[in-house]
Amino acid sequence: MKKYINVAFKNAGKTLKVSVAALMMLTVTVSCTEKELLEPTPITSLSDLQAFTTPDRVVAQVYGLYASAKSGQLFGGRYLIYNEIRGENWLNVTSNGVTGLQTWNHTNNSSSNEPTNMWNAAYLAINRANLFMEGLDKNPNVVDATTASQYKAEARFVRALTYFALVNTYAQPFNKDAGASLGVPLRLKGEVGSGNNNLKRSTVAEVYAQILDDLNFAEQNLPASYSSALLNTTRAHKNSAIALKTRIYLQMSRWSDVVTEANKIVSTTAPFKASTGVANALQANIASVFAAPYTTVESIFSFPMGDNDLPGTQNGLHSYYVPVTGIGDYSLNPAGVVGNPAFTATDARRTNFVKNDIAGDGGRIRLLKFPTGPVHKDFVPVIRYSEVLLNLAEAKARLAGTAVDASALTLLNAVRSRSTTAYTTDDITSGTALVNAILTERNIEFLGEGFRSIDLQRNLLALPAKSTIAAIPTTSPVYIWPIPQTEINVNKDCVPNP
């Protein structure tokens, strides 16, 4: 624990000590305006008497929970990047050892920076959530009970999202053995020292059960909506929790549960949209989803960035994908999804986001979904409405077996047809073909957004070969990331992966 317990509420009147790493993620402000959500002001110390004395200070800590999770080492950039470059869609350009090279070529070990830094950032975010909820319980009269429940729901949403990142990175896929494999330590209490370092790894199934418990609580206690499009995009609401549950159940192959959850926010007929809470729906123009102000109703949940609240030069998505104004460490692999005939030349996702004519770049194929540089202020998309539609489509297609489920095909077409009219479904004559078409569509739709290795692993597929890098079979010890040695050193009950 000592490697990531950087923030600790001490006894009343004493100082909250913050390390340099935590300082970049800690945000506490006096007045919580939308500007402060985009540009939170870091501080060096705060006593717990101050932290819970006023409603403004309490809600400022809520914003701090989101800020912790959007660390550049986690959802601010690198978590998405790592899930992308472990797949086949990317070629390394720079051979830069600090921007995912070991992840791309599958050479990470338990002492490598990439798994160590992400682990630390994730558990710091989780500990912040735990400490915050405990602080609310100890100071019950600062905000009313309903508001306190909402804030706890936001904390549990952040905790669920973070545990999902951990269990899908450092543990075997749920579908390998119905979650019987070792997962990660489930830390559900705030830690202020090293006394509780030792904690065994829960099973994958136990971690998923906790994630779902957090999200069920979140759904019940989050507001249906907020007062602005910015807040509806950057703070969790009921639809956010429901949408994330569709992702969780998809990972577990619990198809009926995916359908049950998705039906809460997907209308039965086109045009599909949420009928309760935020009116989440697809945008007619895919380009608008990735353009400022990044707050369309397709964006169910995103992490915002602002001038004084950036992921860091070598963490931001723009930096990895775009040369000249970024570093451009990774270009698109011509043999990856951009070479798939289903990704047609007239597809709006190709014409808007895929370019190979950047001056001085040698004709490399680049992704421009995150265009803002050299200051990387693009919002980081975490959940989009198109994902919910494709999650629902896949679940329905899987439940139908060998038959073609007409409603699943309609959902697939809703996502596909908003970007291309050159698509035909004439060759989808079986349930297997429909599932494969949905998986291909996911690969196109979410290119660069951190889904690729997750989709490969939940389907128990090898990580494909790319360039000179051989494929990684499901039986390989590097199919998942190692538990960091720093954790094993201080947590005597935590064992490494076999």
Side-chain angles (χ1 to χ4, degrees):
M1 285 293 291
K2 67 179 73 172
K3 293 294 183 180
Y4 51 80
I5 299 288
N6 297 17
V7 180
F9 287 103
K10 298 296 186 181
N11 292 332
K14 295 185 179 180
T15 300
L16 171 70
K17 299 189 182 297
V18 185
S19 77
V20 173
L23 176 61
M24 297 175 64
M25 290 175 276
L26 177 64
T27 63
V28 181
T29 57
V30 175
S31 176
C32 299
T33 64
E34 290 185 357
K35 184 177 187 297
E36 287 161 338
L37 174 62
L38 293 174
E39 301 175 17
T41 304
I43 64 170
T44 56
S45 65
L46 182 73
S47 72
D48 66 348
L49 278 179
Q50 295 172 315
F52 291 95
T53 52
T54 70
D56 278 346
R57 284 176 171 167
V58 174
V59 73
Q61 292 182 71
V62 176
Y63 286 142
L65 302 180
Y66 292 109
S68 289
K70 71 172 181 178
S71 158
Q73 294 291 338
L74 192 56
F75 293 107
R78 285 188 178 243
Y79 171 70
L80 281 72
I81 292 293
Y82 295 149
N83 282 317
E84 284 293 314
I85 63 178
R86 296 192 82 219
E88 77 280 25
N89 291 327
W90 301 94
L91 299 177
N92 183 270
V93 175
T94 61
S95 297
N96 187 342
V98 299
T99 51
L101 181 61
Q102 287 184 280
T103 296
W104 181 76
N105 61 25
H106 308 297
T107 58
N108 275 316
N109 58 55
S110 61
S111 297
S112 297
N113 285 334
E114 290 155 24
T116 300
N117 291 344
M118 199 187 97
W119 178 278
N120 291 348
Y123 275 105
L124 174 58
I126 289 167
N127 197 52
R128 284 291 305 274
N130 292 340
L131 287 168
F132 171 72
M133 288 188 283
E134 291 169 9
L136 277 180
D137 288 340
K138 293 175 183 177
N139 297 271
N141 300 318
V142 181
V143 296
D144 63 78
T146 300
T147 302
S149 293
Q150 175 195 323
Y151 292 166
K152 287 181 182 179
E154 291 184 79
R156 292 184 71 168
F157 176 87
V158 169
R159 186 171 71 179
L161 182 66
T162 306
Y163 266 122
F164 178 75
L166 285 167
V167 78
N168 280 284
T169 305
Y170 300 90
Q172 293 291 339
F174 180 92
N175 289 332
K176 176 184 178 180
D177 50 18
S181 297
L182 286 177
V184 296
L186 268 177
R187 296 195 179 274
L188 305 178
K189 296 180 180 180
E191 301 292 350
V192 298
S194 60
N196 294 317
N197 278 350
N198 296 334
L199 181 66
K200 70 177 184 178
R201 296 171 65 178
S202 296
T203 66
V204 170
E206 288 169 337
V207 177
Y208 271 93
Q210 182 60 51
I211 291 169
L212 289 169
D213 186 66
D214 280 348
L215 292 177
N216 285 329
F217 180 90
E219 180 190 354
Q220 292 302 313
N221 292 282
L222 286 170
S225 64
Y226 294 95
S227 59
S228 70
L230 176 61
L231 294 178
N232 284 336
T233 302
T234 57
R235 288 183 72 175
H237 46 78
K238 288 185 183 296
N239 288 4
S240 310
I242 293 166
L244 187 53
K245 279 197 285 182
T246 71
R247 183 185 298 180
I248 305 307
Y249 284 129
L250 194 78
Q251 290 292 120
M252 303 172 76
S253 297
R254 289 173 57 172
W255 314 121
S256 295
D257 290 317
V258 175
V259 173
T260 296
E261 295 298 330
N263 281 345
K264 295 176 182 178
I265 57 174
V266 178
S267 57
T268 56
T269 58
F272 301 106
K273 63 180 181 179
S275 58
T276 60
V278 179
N280 295 120
L282 291 176
Q283 295 299 287
N285 181 3
I286 183 65
S288 66
V289 179
F290 297 92
Y294 313 101
T295 55
T296 71
V297 289
E298 180 161 338
S299 300
I300 297 178
F301 181 74
S302 298
F303 283 108
M305 298 296 166
D307 288 329
N308 298 321
D309 185 36
L310 299 170
T313 300
Q314 294 181 312
N315 296 329
L317 300 175
H318 175 94
S319 178
Y320 280 81
Y321 296 143
V322 184
V324 185
T325 52
I327 297 173
D329 297 279
Y330 295 90
S331 64
L332 285 163
N333 183 1
V337 71
V338 293
N340 192 314
F343 198 2
T344 61
T346 57
D347 192 308
R349 294 164 295 193
R350 185 184 288 272
T351 58
N352 280 288
F353 305 135
V354 179
K355 305 293 181 184
N356 64 349
D357 57 356
I358 296 175
D361 195 38
R364 294 186 181 92
I365 308 172
R366 297 292 189 169
L367 181 72
L368 303 183
K369 266 186 180 178
F370 309 100
T372 308
V375 179
H376 310 304
K377 294 192 292 185
D378 300 297
F379 283 23
V380 177
V382 178
I383 309 172
R384 293 200 284 123
Y385 195 68
S386 57
E387 181 197 348
V388 179
L389 296 186
L390 291 177
N391 291 350
L392 179 56
E394 183 178 341
K396 287 189 169 188
R398 302 265 192 188
L399 287 169
T402 58
V404 175
D405 185 278
S407 61
L409 184 57
T410 300
L411 289 161
L412 167 62
N413 286 339
V415 176
R416 181 75 179 186
S417 62
R418 67 99 168 255
S419 293
T420 179
T421 58
Y423 183 58
T424 176
T425 57
D426 293 342
D427 58 342
I428 299 179
T429 59
S430 69
T432 299
L434 178 54
V435 169
N436 288 338
I438 293 167
L439 293 176
T440 297
E441 183 63 17
R442 290 176 66 88
N443 200 4
I444 297 170
E445 176 71 11
F446 305 123
L447 181 62
E449 298 179 53
F451 281 79
R452 186 56 182 153
S453 66
I454 293 175
D455 275 351
L456 289 167
Q457 289 175 300
R458 72 178 171 87
N459 286 293
L460 303 181
L461 298 173
L463 302 175
K466 58 206 173 188
S467 183
T468 60
I469 307 302
I472 302 299
T474 60
T475 54
S476 170
V478 298
Y479 188 66
I480 57 175
W481 267 11
I483 303 297
Q485 189 63 43
T486 52
E487 176 69 13
I488 294 171
N489 289 344
V490 300
N491 180 357
K492 303 307 181 184
D493 292 339
C494 184
V495 297
N497 289 325

